[in-house]
Amino acid sequence: GLKPVNDIMAGDRKLGGILVERGLDGEGVRFVIVGVGLNIVTPAPLPADYPPRAMALDRLPGGPGEPGLPALAQSLGQALADGFT
């Protein structure tokens, strides 16, 4: 799920975030840059300053598993592309 403004959430835990920047010129939008950050693997051992509300995909039921990160990246890229058509 998405929580305004840019958090990617799993319940009340933060999995990552989305940032969008745009460049404008006199005729409208010149470019859009979308940055997506996802917590993939929980560090072990957890650092003392690890945010208590943070979550990583490896901790979710049915986390990235197989086929793994390439499929996740492809799926995310396709979802973003579909949103701009």
Side-chain angles (χ1 to χ4, degrees), residues 38-73:
L38 288 174
N39 301 329
I40 304 294
V41 178
T42 306
L46 289 177
D49 63 346
Y50 195 75
R53 291 178 41 107
M55 171 64 79
L57 290 173
D58 69 332
R59 297 281 178 111
L60 292 176
E66 291 299 326
L69 296 179
L72 174 64

